[in-house]
Amino acid sequence: MTTAPATEENEGDLVVRREGSAGIIRLNRPKAINAMTLEMSLGIDAALDRFEADPAVAVVLLEGAGERGLCAGGDIRGLYQSSKAGGDLGKVFWRQEYVMNARIAKYPKPYVAFMDGLVMGGGVGLSAHGRHRVVTERTKLAMPEVGLGFFPDVGGTWLLSRAPGELGTYFGLTGQTMNGPDAIYARFGDAVVPSGKLAELRDVLTKVRPGTSSDEIASLIEGFATGETSGPVAALRPRIDKWFAFDRMQDILAALRQDGSDLALSTLKTLGEKSPRGMVVTLKLLRLARSASSLEHCLVREYRAALEVFRSDDFREGVRAAVIDKDRDPKWSPAAIEDVTMEMVAPYFAEIGADELVFDPAR
């Protein structure tokens, strides 16, 4: 087969090109660990349109520029500034992003994500809904949004609620990091490929024939994989399942206090740093996600909650403490789990009329 020359579409924050039979989407903000802007999200959508329509494209490959990671998440600074100014970037950005997350999950051609290095928040949404999720020994995957007064979005509640036992509850509430094998065990990844083999795997993917099935792509990837299926968190699962089995944050905290082990107390300390309101909202979203019939149902619920978060002092305070001033000392409102009332939480789950998230059945 003759390999077509690479054709450049855009050399900016997003690089879109065809290399042989592979449609390449490269996040290209390495200094920001490829944090995604609205413009990048729109560009990815356009690339998916183009590659879906191109019969010469056999597979789509998502990768990140630089050595630090695939994607650190969304452009938090931009969202913070818009929230402070009473703008609507949250409404526009998250609508675009969530619709794209659902599209990736249903994409008709094999979609391969190289989840090397840091993969957080919005980066999880771009990769973990894909058909072929390749992690490495350098992968550090996390959904740390509760530490920003937010919750695991981009379909994170769907993914986390389908992890074994209570691992999703644990990762969603604590924001703790998964390594590559952990991600396999938690069902966020499919194969561990050594980072030193990614270039070779990438080269092979550019040469697959159009019409190659997802099963054939999976077999090809497995030829480069280590075969690891679980990481350190698997050994902790019996304890995590016991501590995080409850539907109320107060009961989870009480179980950790009662256990009293070093791990339980360190987990308790981690939770003590998070937004109390964010944890209550997250736990409810995760429990509702367990009975959801589709990713889209979770995304609709997440969008309602996200718009409420965007208006909240907790979001602005969380971003200020973590990203703007970096003092790591957020002043949450309220400051204690016991003070989070049903009246405070209810607006996060209310229907939003004309602003509801809608999916195009043709995509």
Side-chain angles (χ1 to χ4, degrees):
M1 161 178 156
T2 302
T3 302
T7 55
E8 200 68 53
E9 285 295 306
N10 178 26
E11 187 71 83
D13 289 347
L14 188 72
V15 175
V16 176
R17 58 162 60 132
R18 182 163 66 83
E19 295 184 23
S21 58
I24 306 295
I25 301 174
R26 181 181 306 131
L27 310 180
N28 196 40
R29 297 182 69 206
K31 291 182 179 177
I33 320 180
N34 302 315
M36 189 171 62
T37 64
L38 174 60
E39 291 72 24
M40 291 167 70
S41 182
L42 290 166
I44 293 168
D45 227 9
L48 293 175
D49 283 340
R50 173 195 160 184
F51 293 147
E52 184 174 345
D54 187 346
V57 172
V59 61
V60 172
L61 172 63
L62 176 75
E63 60 186 10
E67 296 296 318
R68 299 168 69 191
L70 172 66
C71 178
D75 182 15
I76 293 295
R77 283 181 179 271
L79 290 164
Y80 167 82
Q81 290 160 359
S82 180
S83 178
K84 280 193 71 175
D88 65 352
L89 180 60
K91 178 188 291 189
V92 176
F93 178 77
W94 287 319
R95 179 180 294 276
Q96 161 63 28
E97 186 178 28
Y98 294 3
V99 170
M100 183 174 61
N101 297 147
R103 182 181 187 187
I104 288 168
K106 292 183 173 180
Y107 199 65
K109 292 185 177 182
Y111 181 100
V112 180
F114 279 2
M115 301 166 71
D116 188 35
L118 202 64
V119 186
M120 297 174 68
V124 175
L126 289 176
S127 56
H129 296 301
R131 196 82 56 88
H132 307 284
R133 304 163 301 175
V134 177
V135 295
T136 76
E137 81 285 353
R138 301 176 351 125
T139 296
K140 294 180 179 179
L141 188 153
M143 302 208 78
E145 291 85 352
V146 179
L148 299 175
F150 200 28
F151 61 87
D153 67 330
V154 296
T157 60
W158 169 263
L159 293 164
L160 290 164
S161 67
R162 277 145 185 81
E166 296 295 339
L167 288 185
T169 314
Y170 167 75
F171 281 120
L173 290 172
T174 65
Q176 294 286 66
T177 300
M178 308 178 201
N179 67 11
D182 282 337
I184 302 292
Y185 187 71
R187 300 173 188 162
F188 277 71
D190 298 303
V192 180
V193 173
S195 58
K197 291 187 176 181
L198 288 180
E200 186 181 352
L201 172 57
R202 187 185 190 281
D203 183 62
V204 169
L205 289 172
T206 67
K207 296 172 182 172
V208 298
R209 69 187 185 283
T212 298
S213 71
S214 278
D215 286 346
E216 290 174 294
I217 296 292
S219 295
L220 186 156
I221 292 170
E222 283 299 326
F224 291 83
T226 65
E228 294 169 273
T229 58
S230 66
V233 77
L236 303 177
R237 185 180 154 195
R239 301 164 77 183
I240 288 172
D241 284 355
K242 180 180 177 182
W243 297 333
F244 286 85
F246 304 97
D247 296 336
R248 296 193 325 141
M249 279 306 307
Q250 292 94 323
D251 296 331
I252 291 173
L253 299 177
L256 290 164
R257 288 192 199 98
Q258 184 176 3
D259 183 285
S261 65
D262 288 346
L263 179 60
L265 294 178
S266 68
T267 303
L268 192 64
K269 181 177 183 296
T270 296
L271 293 173
E273 298 166 354
K274 310 302 180 187
S275 160
R277 192 186 324 193
M279 286 191 290
V280 172
V281 169
T282 294
L283 184 57
K284 184 170 182 179
L285 285 167
L286 289 172
R287 293 301 182 251
L288 289 170
R290 283 184 169 171
S291 58
S293 60
S294 69
L295 167 62
E296 286 88 345
H297 285 164
C298 289
L299 287 165
V300 167
R301 202 177 283 126
E302 290 176 14
Y303 189 67
R304 294 171 181 170
L307 296 193
E308 190 65 26
V309 165
F310 194 65
R311 293 187 284 266
S312 75
D313 291 336
D314 259 17
F315 175 67
R316 291 186 287 271
E317 176 62 7
V319 177
R320 181 207 63 76
V323 179
I324 307 300
D325 298 337
K326 299 183 180 179
D327 59 22
R328 306 289 174 182
D329 187 26
K331 302 296 188 285
W332 302 120
S333 176
I337 285 289
E338 294 75 17
D339 297 327
V340 180
T341 66
M342 291 179 62
E343 290 73 21
M344 288 178 190
V345 172
Y348 292 80
F349 298 87
E351 294 183 6
I352 53 177
D355 283 334
E356 292 282 14
L357 191 64
V358 178
F359 299 92
D360 182 352
R363 298 181 73 185

